[in-house]
Amino acid sequence: MVITEIFKSIQGEGTRAGLPCIFVRLTGCNLRCTWCDTAYAFHGGTKYSIEEVLEKVNALAGDTQRRVPLVEITGGEPLLQRETPALAQKLMSSGYTVMIETSGERFVGELPSAVIKIVDVKCPDSGEPNTFDVTNLEVLSSNDEIKFVISSRRDYDFARDFVAKHRLAEHVHEVLFSPVFADPHGAWPGLTARELAEWILSDGLRVRLGLQLHKFIWDPASKGV
């Protein structure tokens, strides 16, 4: 496998936000979202075997008294690497709760069913609309989450209508609406959490507002957090 970084941090997003977590960031992505904040993972990386990844995760997780039990496989796009399902299974067999964050463009049905899948649906302003593989809805379960990253009212309207059309609440554990965080170097603007929250409340949506906690704790441009 080709890995950009493996590190321990606070889970910043989703229903497990705030929990200590080990992140395994795989190298490579076939999409180029306008607001991507991990473009450094597109290229490069270091080759690891699955056993070497597990060894690194175990070292970061700590001993049985203070062990971090949560691991997220992310990217880039982790499903571009054929070893990803086997890595997820190996981690689960070692006692970890495993999450995987994916763009939604790849079919997630090859992953072990017990993996918690956090699947993006790309909104129009991402620059990658219409890339979501709708067959994913057939295999997602009540353990999984679907996320929309929203940068404008147009994105919000798209996400709201998609949720209603596909009755997402019947497919997954949680639907997440996350505002784009402004690029620290000015490459793209952000959407305020307040504005998105007010839209959600006005429409009475049963979705969860998600903020990237790690960007409030550390510098938004920091790697390895």
Side-chain angles (χ1 to χ4, degrees):
M1 308 190 74
V2 184
I3 307 293
T4 293
E5 56 187 352
I6 303 174
F7 60 96
K8 178 167 60 176
S9 186
I10 295 296
Q11 176 58 251
E13 304 180 64
T15 58
R16 291 163 180 80
L19 295 176
C21 182
I22 310 296
F23 293 85
V24 180
R25 187 181 304 284
L26 277 61
T27 304
C29 188
N30 57 326
L31 301 184
R32 293 293 183 267
C33 295
T34 304
W35 35 252
C36 180
D37 57 2
T38 52
Y40 63 90
F42 288 168
H43 308 289
T46 302
K47 290 185 177 180
Y48 284 78
S49 68
I50 289 176
E51 289 296 336
E52 287 171 333
V53 174
L54 179 61
E55 182 179 350
K56 179 72 169 177
V57 169
N58 285 338
L60 289 170
D63 58 28
T64 54
Q65 293 292 325
R66 299 178 299 169
R67 187 170 185 260
V68 176
L70 186 64
V71 176
E72 178 172 307
I73 302 171
T74 186
E77 173 46 65
L79 294 183
L80 290 177
Q81 300 196 35
R82 59 181 177 82
E83 302 92 346
T84 296
L87 172 62
Q89 185 60 62
K90 187 70 173 182
L91 289 165
M92 289 190 300
S93 297
S94 300
Y96 293 101
T97 297
V98 176
M99 309 163 64
I100 186 162
E101 186 150 2
T102 173
S103 68
E105 187 266 347
R106 302 269 118 177
F107 182 58
V108 301
E110 304 301 323
L111 291 164
S113 59
V115 172
I116 299 162
K117 304 160 194 73
I118 303 172
V119 182
D120 278 17
V121 178
K122 300 301 182 184
C123 295
D125 289 354
S126 71
E128 295 287 359
N130 305 313
T131 55
F132 181 73
D133 183 351
V134 294
T135 61
N136 282 326
L137 297 180
E138 300 172 9
V139 297
L140 293 176
S141 75
S142 58
N143 291 324
D144 302 323
E145 303 173 14
I146 289 182
K147 183 175 73 172
F148 297 85
V149 178
I150 296 171
S151 67
S152 66
R153 180 69 199 204
R154 180 174 72 152
D155 279 356
Y156 171 80
D157 290 343
F158 165 83
R160 179 197 60 202
D161 295 346
F162 192 100
V163 169
K165 177 181 177 180
H166 295 284
R167 304 172 71 174
L168 293 190
E170 299 178 13
H171 290 284
V172 295
H173 172 62
E174 197 74 89
V175 177
L176 309 166
F177 278 24
S178 180
V180 168
F181 200 101
D183 177 54
H185 305 296
W188 61 82
L191 176 68
T192 67
R194 175 175 176 174
E195 191 166 19
L196 180 53
E198 288 175 348
W199 293 342
I200 291 170
L201 291 171
S202 178
D203 284 338
L205 299 189
R206 295 181 60 184
V207 301
R208 182 188 291 255
L209 176 66
L211 305 180
Q212 295 177 296
L213 294 184
H214 51 290
K215 293 185 178 180
F216 292 91
I217 300 170
W218 294 283
D219 187 310
S222 297
K223 300 178 183 179
V225 295

